[in-house]
Amino acid sequence: MRDLAAFTKILLALMVSINSFLTTEPLVLAVFLGAEYVSVFFLTKKKSAARALAMLFVFACMLLGIQLLCGSSVTLSLLSAMRMAIMANSMVLVLFSTKTQQLTAALVKQCHLSYSYAFMVTAIFRFVPDLLAESHSVSEAQACRGYKSGGSPYNRMRSYMMLIKPMVFRAIARSENMAVSLEMRGFGDSSRRTFMSETHMVVVDYAAVAFFILFSVCLLRFL
Amino acid sequence: MIEIRDMTYGYNEEKKVIQNVSFSLRNGEILAIAGRNGTGKTTITRLVMGLLKPEQGTVFFDGRDVTQSPAAERSAVIGYVFQNPDSQIFANTVLEEAMYSPLQHGYSGKQAEEKARKALREVALLEFAERSPQLLSRGQKQRLAIASALAAEPEVLILDEPTSGQDCRERVQLLRLMRKLNEEGMSILLVTHDMDILAEHATRMLVLEQGHIGFEGKPAELFSDKEKTEALGLELPEAVRVSAELGLPICLTPAEIYAKLVRRTGTHA
Amino acid sequence: MQNIRFQEKKGEDLRWITITILFLAIGVILRMVSPNIGGISLNWNIVMYTLAIMLCRPSAKQGFGIGIVSGLVATMSSKAAIPYVNLVSDPLAALLCAMLAGRYVCRIRLFRINLEPVLLVFVTTFISGGSFVLLTKIILSLPMNVFLFAMLPVVLLVACLGAVAGQLLYHPADRIFNATASNQNQKKFSMKNVNAVIPKGSFTVVTGANGEGKTSLLLTIAGARMDYFEDMKDSRLVVNGIDILESSREILKSKAGMVMADYEGQLVTENVGDEIDFSLENAGYTVEKIQKRRQEVLEMTGLAGFGNRKIVSLSGGQKQRLAIAVMLALHTDILLLDEPVAAIDPEGAREIYTLLEDIREKYGTTIITAEHDLKYVLPYATQMLVLEDGGLKIAGTMQEGMEYMYEHDIYAEAIPLQTKIYLELGELS
C-alpha cells in the first residue's frame, strides 16, 4: 500500500466504508474485514498498526455487547459492529501508510481543501510532542507546590485548571511570534505554492481502484 | 539537612543516568551541581524532590527517610524553582499565585495570605501583589516563582538554572536575592552551567560525570586545576582566567581581583 | 509624519491560525492525559477550538475551516468508532460557534459575570457531540434505547463539563490575549534617535536590558509589523545600503530573515527537510530548485544528513541551527537573530556563534544579533548598538561601545569582566 498515491488510499478507504453499507450479508463484511487485516502485512509500521487494529477490535466487541444488552438481534448487532470496525480500520490503514505531508498535499491538490487548513493540520501534529513535554513540566512544577487532585468533580476540574492554564497562557504568548514568523516565511498566498510531497495518481493507482471496484461488485453480487 | 545515599536511576535498563551517587546538602550552604549536558544534573534534583522514584537508594531529610513521600508532600520542606517560571504561573494576581502553596499545605486563607505577603516582600514584589503575573518581566516572574516556593516556608530551596532568560541586571538582582536568603539560613541546591555564578556563590560543588560524581569539594580546589576542570567538561570562570592573565594569584570573583589589583598598584579605584 | 516603513497596514492577521494550531494541539494532549470522571472524559478539542474562536472571532468561513481542521485531527488521532463522523460534526459545530461568537449573541451577563463562555462551549459541544452520536446511531442503525439512554446523556454531561472548563479558562485567557495585542495599543511603544549604518557583511550586536527595544529593532529591519510598535522618530537606519525606514515591508521581507527568541515556535513541520521546504514551497520554487537549495542550506549550517530527522529529536542547539537554515533558504543578505543562545548551554552557544561567523565569512551575509549578555558574541561581533530609554545611545565598534557603556554607566553590567578590568586599569593607571 505504501506505493500508492495518498489520494488513492483515501479513495480506497472511502469505498470500502461505503461498500459496507451496501450489503446486509455478514459474510461479505467478513471478507472486507479480512482484507483489511491482511493488508496490515504490507505496511512498514506493521506493529503499531496491528496494535491500533487490535484496539478497534476490542471496541467493536464492546459495541456488539452493548447492542445485545439493549435487545437487538444477533445479526443486526454483528452487522453494525463489523461496519464500525471496517470503517475505523480503513482510516488506520491510510494513516499508517502515508506521511502527514503527503496526506495534506492530497487534501489540498485533489480534495481542494484550502492550504491554510491543511497546514494547520500538519502543524498541530508537529506541536503535539513539544506540548506533551510542556504539560509534563507543568505538572512537575505544580506538584512541587503541593498540587494534588481529588475531591468533588467540580473541585477536580478547578484544580485541573492549574495544569491547563499555564499551557494555554504560554500558547497565547507564543501564537503572536508564530504569526509574525509565518508571515515572514511567505505563508498565506497559496496559489503559487509548490507541493513537494504531492503524490500523483499513476497506472498502479488506477489499476488498484479498478481492481477494488471489480472485487466489490463480485462480492456484493454473488455472495 | 538532605542526604542522598547510593542513588541509582535510569530511564532504561542499559543506560543508568545516575549510578550509586551519594552526597549530602549541609545546613546553611549553597551546594552547586554542574556537569556537561545530559549528565543528569536535573535528574538528581528531581530525585531529591521526589518527582522521580529512584531504582535504588535512599533520601534522608533531617535524618528521616523520605524516599517514599511524593513531591507534593516534600514541598512543605523543600522548595523547587524551575528554569521557566511560565510553566507554573496560573493565577490572576501575583498574591493569589504566591498563596497557592500554603493553601495546599492546609493553612487557612488568612494565614496563607500572610505567608504569601511575607514571601513577596522577601523577593521585592509586594508592590505588585494585585497585578496580573503575566504582565511581569521575565526576571520578576522568576522572583515570583521563588516567592511561591518560599511561601510554604521550606528549609531547603532547589534552584534550577535560576538566571536563564534574564538580562545582566536581573541576573545580579536574582543572585543577590539568593545570597540574602542563604544568609538568613536557607540551604540551597543550585543547578547551573554558568561557572561565573558557581565560582562566586557556591560553598561547595558537585560535578557529575557519566552518572557518577566526578568532583566534590570547594570551587577553588577544582578551578585551580585547569586540566581537571576541562576534563570534566567545564570552562574556567572568567575571574579565574582574567586573574591568571593579569599574573595575580587565582581569584574566584571580580571583587577579589579588584582587591588584589588595588593592593598591587597601591592606589584606590 | 510616520516613516514609510510604519505607514503600511499590517498584512492579513495570521493569529487566528496560530492560536488554533496551538490550542488544538493542547486539546489532543489533554484528551490523552486528562483524567476522566466515571469513565467519561471531556472532549477537549471542542473546548479548545471554541476558546480559539472566542479569542479571535474569525469569520463564519474561517470558523467552518477550524471545524474541518479539528475534524481531520480527531479523525487522524482518535480511536473513534466511526472516524469520518467528526468531519461532519466538528465543522457544523464550529461554524455555528463562529457565527454566534461573531455576533456576540451569547454575551449575557449575570451578577456581572459574562456567561458567554459557558453558553458557547455548551452549545458547541452539544451540537458537535449530538450530531456525532446521531450520525453514529443512524449509520450503525443502533437501537433507539442505546441512543436515548446511553449516548445522549453522555453528550449532555460532556457538554456541561466542557462549559465549566470553558468558563474557567476563557476570562484569564482573554485578558492575556488582549494584553499582548490591544492593551498596549493605547500606549504604543516607539523609539527615537536610532541613527546607524550597518555595512554589508558585518557582524553587529544590539545590546541593552530586557524591554529596551532590541526585539522591536530587529523586527523593524525584518519587515514585520507588530501592533504595539508605532514608529522610530528622528531616525535613519541603513542596513546593506537599504534605508530601512523608507523602504516597503515587501522589500525588507525579501532581503532579511529573522530567527526569533522562541525559535521552536518558528518550526512548524515534523521533520528537518520539510521545514526548509516550507518557505521555499511558499515562494513557489520548482521541485528541483527546492531540493538543491535544501541541500545547500543544510550543508551551510552543518546539518547535512539530518534531512529526515524528526524535529522533536533535535537538541536545542540543533533546532537553533535549523531555524537559521530555514531563514537562509530564502534570505542570504541579512540574517537577524534574537538572543540566539539564551536557552542553550555554553558549548552549544559557542558552536552557534562560530557557525554564524562562518556563514558571514563565506557568503557575505550581514549578521545582526540581539544579546543581553556579551560573553559569547564578543570574539565575533565587530559593531555594536546600545539601546536604552527607548533610543540608540551609541553605534560603533565593540571597543567604542563598551567604553561608552562603562563611562556613562549604561547597562554596564553586561560588559564582560575582562574588558571591564582593562577599562578600570586604564582608570587606575
Side-chain angles (χ1 to χ4, degrees), chain B residues 167-169 235 245 258, chain C residues 210 350 411 413 418 424:
Chain B
D167 69 29
C168 297
R169 243 173 238 170
E235 298 179 331
E245 218 171 281
Y258 291 138
Chain C
N210 282 347
R350 277 183 218 291
Y411 195 47
E413 296 90 337
Q418 189 169 11
E424 228 145 278

Side-chain angles (χ1 to χ4, degrees), chain B residues 3 14 53-54 78 81 105-106 110 137 160 173 213 220 258:
Chain B
E3 195 193 341
E14 300 94 68
K53 284 259 166 292
I78 309 176
V81 180
H105 289 107
K110 209 169 161 220
S137 74
D160 184 358
Q173 268 185 330
I213 293 180
Y258 291 138

Side-chain angles (χ1 to χ4, degrees), chain C residues 64-309:
Chain C
F64 186 70
I66 291 175
I68 292 183
V69 172
S70 172
L72 281 169
V73 169
T75 308
M76 290 162 81
S77 67
S78 80
K79 305 127 234 165
I82 308 179
Y84 310 102
V85 176
N86 271 316
L87 288 175
V88 180
S89 65
D90 274 342
L92 191 70
L95 172 69
L96 187 76
C97 177
M99 283 162 66
L100 291 176
R103 298 193 175 87
Y104 296 91
V105 176
C106 299
R107 187 162 279 188
I108 296 163
R109 281 172 188 280
L110 190 70
F111 304 120
R112 297 177 61 200
I113 301 170
N114 176 7
L115 291 180
E116 195 183 14
V118 165
L119 296 171
L120 212 49
V121 176
F122 182 84
V123 169
T124 313
T125 315
F126 189 74
I127 297 289
S128 175
S131 53
F132 183 93
V133 294
L134 186 66
L135 282 170
T136 310
K137 184 216 169 289
I138 295 170
I139 291 174
L140 295 180
S141 50
L142 299 174
M144 202 55 172
N145 283 346
V146 177
F147 179 69
L148 284 181
F149 301 115
M151 294 166 112
L152 266 189
V154 170
V155 170
L156 263 175
L157 188 64
V158 168
C160 290
L161 284 176
V164 174
Q167 183 74 23
L168 291 172
L169 277 173
Y170 175 71
H171 293 299
D174 182 50
R175 227 169 291 139
I176 294 171
F177 184 77
N178 286 321
T180 52
S182 65
N183 208 17
Q184 282 162 337
N185 254 349
Q186 291 148 13
K187 206 179 68 189
K188 275 190 178 178
F189 183 61
S190 68
M191 292 170 87
K192 54 183 187 309
N193 301 326
V194 182
N195 288 294
V197 176
I198 297 174
K200 189 167 166 41
S202 64
F203 199 131
T204 305
V205 58
V206 181
T207 198
N210 282 347
E212 294 292 357
K214 299 192 294 291
T215 307
S216 304
L217 179 63
L218 295 198
L219 285 167
T220 303
I221 300 174
R225 182 84 165 92
M226 304 298 269
D227 281 325
Y228 63 81
F229 194 66
E230 193 179 30
D231 197 8
M232 285 195 182
K233 298 190 175 86
D234 308 320
S235 302
R236 186 158 183 274
L237 190 57
V238 180
V239 181
N240 272 22
I242 305 167
D243 190 335
I244 300 292
L245 304 178
E246 297 301 327
S247 304
S248 74
R249 298 178 52 216
E250 271 316 304
I251 292 183
L252 299 178
K253 279 201 288 189
S254 70
K255 295 282 180 199
M258 173 161 165
V259 178
M260 304 263 207
D262 174 23
Y263 54 89
E264 297 199 31
Q266 240 178 332
L267 306 173
V268 289
T269 67
E270 277 183 280
N271 77 43
V272 173
D274 293 339
E275 192 63 45
I276 292 168
D277 294 352
F278 177 76
S279 314
L280 299 165
E281 286 175 304
N282 284 337
Y285 284 23
T286 60
V287 173
E288 294 72 38
K289 208 169 162 197
I290 291 178
Q291 282 165 340
K292 191 166 152 269
R293 189 71 190 138
R294 182 208 301 153
Q295 202 49 42
E296 280 169 11
V297 292
L298 284 177
E299 269 160 27
M300 276 167 93
T301 49
L303 287 173
F306 279 73
N308 291 321
R309 278 278 289 277

Side-chain angles (χ1 to χ4, degrees), chain C residues 6-25:
Chain C
F6 295 104
Q7 284 174 22
E8 287 174 273
K9 282 242 151 43
K10 258 185 88 175
E12 189 209 353
D13 198 353
L14 299 172
R15 194 105 187 258
W16 69 277
I17 292 184
T18 53
I19 285 264
T20 309
I21 290 172
L22 293 171
F23 276 23
L24 280 176

Side-chain angles (χ1 to χ4, degrees), chain B residues 139-159:
Chain B
Q140 289 168 331
K141 280 184 183 173
Q142 186 67 276
R143 299 213 305 273
L144 173 56
I146 294 179
S148 356
L150 288 179
E153 297 177 334
E155 293 164 54
V156 175
L157 208 52
I158 300 176
L159 302 173

Side-chain angles (χ1 to χ4, degrees), chain A residues 10-184:
Chain A
I10 297 175
L11 268 184
L12 290 176
L14 280 177
M15 285 195 302
V16 75
S17 304
I18 293 168
N19 277 338
S20 66
F21 288 99
L22 298 179
T23 178
T24 46
E25 192 61 63
L27 192 58
V28 177
L29 290 181
V31 173
F32 281 133
L33 202 56
E36 285 183 334
Y37 287 133
V38 170
S39 54
V40 172
F41 292 100
F42 298 102
L43 296 183
T44 28
K45 293 184 229 158
K46 275 189 205 69
K47 261 196 186 150
S48 32
R51 210 174 301 137
L53 291 197
M55 274 188 58
L56 286 172
F57 184 78
V58 174
F59 202 84
C61 292
M62 275 164 55
L63 187 71
L64 183 70
I66 292 174
Q67 289 182 81
L68 289 174
L69 277 178
C70 291
S72 292
S73 76
V74 178
T75 334
L76 263 180
S77 311
L78 201 63
L79 275 178
S80 15
M82 273 160 74
R83 278 177 188 151
M84 182 238 116
I86 288 173
M87 280 190 285
N89 288 350
S90 71
M91 199 65 216
V92 168
L93 291 174
V94 173
L95 293 178
F96 278 96
S97 63
T98 330
K99 278 174 60 181
T100 328
Q101 301 286 322
Q102 291 174 337
L103 268 183
T104 46
L107 287 173
V108 174
K109 283 289 176 178
Q110 281 130 337
C111 307
H112 300 286
L113 179 72
S114 157
Y115 175 66
S116 304
Y117 304 128
F119 163 73
M120 282 156 89
V121 175
T122 44
I124 287 167
F125 287 108
R126 141 81 179 96
F127 281 103
V128 164
D130 273 22
L131 289 169
L132 193 61
E134 200 174 297
S135 83
H136 190 70
S137 55
V138 171
S139 64
E140 276 193 338
Q142 306 302 35
C144 290
R145 299 166 70 190
Y147 169 79
K148 287 170 288 243
S149 99
S152 70
Y154 177 74
N155 275 341
R156 268 209 264 175
M157 177 72 93
R158 259 186 67 125
S159 65
Y160 193 56
M161 286 298 140
M162 290 270 306
L163 305 183
I164 302 171
K165 276 182 180 171
M167 288 177 71
V168 169
F169 295 167
R170 278 177 83 168
I172 293 174
R174 173 174 265 190
S175 71
E176 194 176 15
N177 285 332
M178 244 176 101
V180 170
S181 117
L182 276 182
E183 199 195 327
M184 284 197 289

